[in-house]
């Protein structure tokens, strides 16, 4: 694996914001290349499952929305009267605006760990795509998500997972840590450490079962997950309890 060192928890928020600004222009193509376009199917699933879980949902918040892939998908649902996309990176949001132009969507710069601008019980749905592993305090972020959800609202989180079965782990790690950064270097035109950060950030992120446990401990209920491509990516679904 590359000799890359993750930023400290204290420096992580500014590191993530600054460096995502720097790769925003190549981010969509990077996701297409490194997932062989499968991320589009996974994001479709996130939105479909969120609406299935809360059939009469009227409001949705897409956290760490980046260039707006999930936000856009949410905006296409005619039943959703309020759709908000929030991200730390202004440059990422600049690439989201064209996708949702003409749709009833509000895009705002903000911190997923500090959602005080939204009152308790504001949203039926909260989604997050490949962003939870970038926050410096995972439990605090989940507590904020639970707070802004309405009772019986749903949180659907898409992120990296641990490969199952284990004998595939070597091949998955080689691809994730060696090949994926090369895609980023090619798209960006030079080496950029953010393309090393993205796979390495998975090393400190909980596996599927651990995140499921954390969600329950924070106060969510009916928590389950679905693996994609042997667990390379995983979606967790969690409802707000009482």
């Amino acid at each position: 694996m590359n000799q890359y060192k993750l930023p400290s928890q204290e420096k992580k928020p500014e590191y993530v914001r600054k460096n995502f600004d720097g790769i925003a222009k190549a981010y969509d193509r990077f996701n297409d290349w490194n997932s062989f376009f499968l991320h589009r199917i996974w994001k479709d699933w996130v939105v479909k499952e969120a609406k299935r879980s809360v059939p009469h949902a009227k409001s949705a918040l897409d956290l760490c929305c980046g260039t707006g892939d999930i936000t856009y998908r949410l905006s296409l649902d005619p039943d959703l009267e309020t759709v908000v996309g929030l991200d730390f990176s202004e440059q990422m949001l600049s690439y989201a605006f064209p996708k949702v132009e003409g749709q009833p969507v509000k895009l705002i710069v903000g911190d997923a760990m500090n959602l005080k601008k939204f009152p308790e019980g504001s949203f039926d749905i909260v989604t997050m795509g490949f962003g939870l592993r970038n926050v410096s305090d995972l439990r605090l972020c989940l507590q904020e998500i639970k707070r802004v959800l309405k009772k019986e609202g749903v949180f659907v989180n898409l992120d990296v997972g641990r490969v199952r079965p284990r004998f595939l782990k070597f091949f998955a790690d080689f691809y994730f840590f060696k090949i994926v950064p090369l895609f980023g270097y090619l798209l960006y035109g030079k080496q950029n450490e953010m393309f090393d950060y993205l796979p390495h950030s998975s090393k400190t992120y909980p596996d599927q079962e651990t995140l499921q446990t954390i969600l329950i401990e924070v106060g969510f209920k009916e928590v389950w997950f679905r693996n994609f491509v042997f667990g390379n990516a995983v979606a967790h679904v969690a409802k707000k309890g009482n």
Side-chain angles (χ1 to χ4, degrees):
M1 296 180 187
N2 299 332
Q3 297 302 310
Y4 171 83
K5 185 177 180 181
L6 286 167
S8 66
Q9 292 300 96
E10 294 75 19
K11 295 180 179 180
K12 190 173 183 178
E14 178 59 20
Y15 178 92
V16 168
R17 184 201 62 77
K18 178 180 177 181
N19 285 285
F20 268 117
D21 274 350
I23 66 169
K25 67 178 181 180
Y27 193 63
D28 281 345
R29 280 178 294 163
F30 174 71
N31 284 333
D32 282 341
W33 285 19
N34 77 61
S35 74
F36 299 98
F37 292 85
L38 290 173
H39 75 102
R40 300 186 183 199
I41 297 173
W42 305 336
K43 290 168 182 174
D44 287 343
W45 186 94
V46 165
V47 173
K48 182 178 179 181
E49 180 57 35
K51 283 305 306 285
R52 188 199 68 79
S53 298
V54 190
H56 304 295
K58 299 296 183 184
S59 55
L61 170 64
D62 184 26
L63 292 175
C64 302
C65 69
T67 59
D69 278 357
I70 294 177
T71 311
Y72 167 72
R73 286 163 168 79
L74 289 167
S75 75
L76 296 178
D77 191 313
D79 294 330
L80 287 174
E81 299 170 355
T82 301
V83 177
V84 178
L86 179 146
D87 199 89
F88 220 25
S89 167
E90 291 188 53
Q91 285 299 311
M92 283 285 188
L93 288 177
S94 73
Y95 287 90
F97 276 109
K99 296 180 183 178
V100 300
E101 187 175 3
Q103 301 291 343
V105 173
K106 184 176 182 180
L107 296 176
I108 57 177
V109 178
D111 184 351
M113 295 189 300
N114 183 358
L115 303 176
K116 292 180 181 178
K117 62 185 69 179
F118 305 117
E120 183 173 348
S122 294
F123 298 98
D124 296 297
I125 292 168
V126 175
T127 58
M128 206 168 187
F130 299 103
L132 189 57
R133 73 183 188 278
N134 296 326
V135 303
S136 59
D137 191 327
L138 185 146
R139 286 178 182 267
L140 175 60
C141 183
L142 293 177
Q143 288 166 356
E144 276 289 88
I145 290 169
K146 186 166 75 74
R147 184 185 65 79
V148 301
L149 273 172
K150 296 179 182 179
K151 185 179 178 182
E152 299 299 320
V154 69
F155 171 48
V156 186
N157 179 64
L158 175 67
D159 216 310
V160 297
R162 298 297 191 276
V163 174
R164 309 286 193 266
R166 292 183 63 87
F167 73 84
L168 292 175
K169 186 177 184 301
F170 171 81
F171 302 100
D173 283 351
F174 179 82
Y175 177 77
F176 201 30
F177 287 89
K178 292 292 188 181
I179 305 302
V180 166
L182 291 178
F183 289 150
Y185 303 160
L186 288 171
L187 287 168
Y188 193 70
K190 61 181 179 179
Q191 186 165 341
N192 184 299
E193 68 178 24
M194 200 56 179
F195 296 116
D196 289 303
Y197 164 83
L198 292 171
H200 278 80
S201 62
S202 68
K203 295 168 69 175
T204 57
Y205 185 67
D207 63 23
Q208 289 91 313
E209 293 80 11
T210 302
L211 182 56
Q212 182 181 33
T213 298
I214 292 172
L215 285 161
I216 293 169
E217 290 173 350
V218 168
F220 287 94
K221 66 176 186 177
E222 299 176 31
V223 182
W224 59 281
F225 61 85
R226 174 173 174 175
N227 286 323
F228 299 104
V229 193
F230 305 106
N232 277 284
V234 60
H236 284 78
V237 181
K239 279 201 168 186
K240 180 175 180 175
N242 295 327

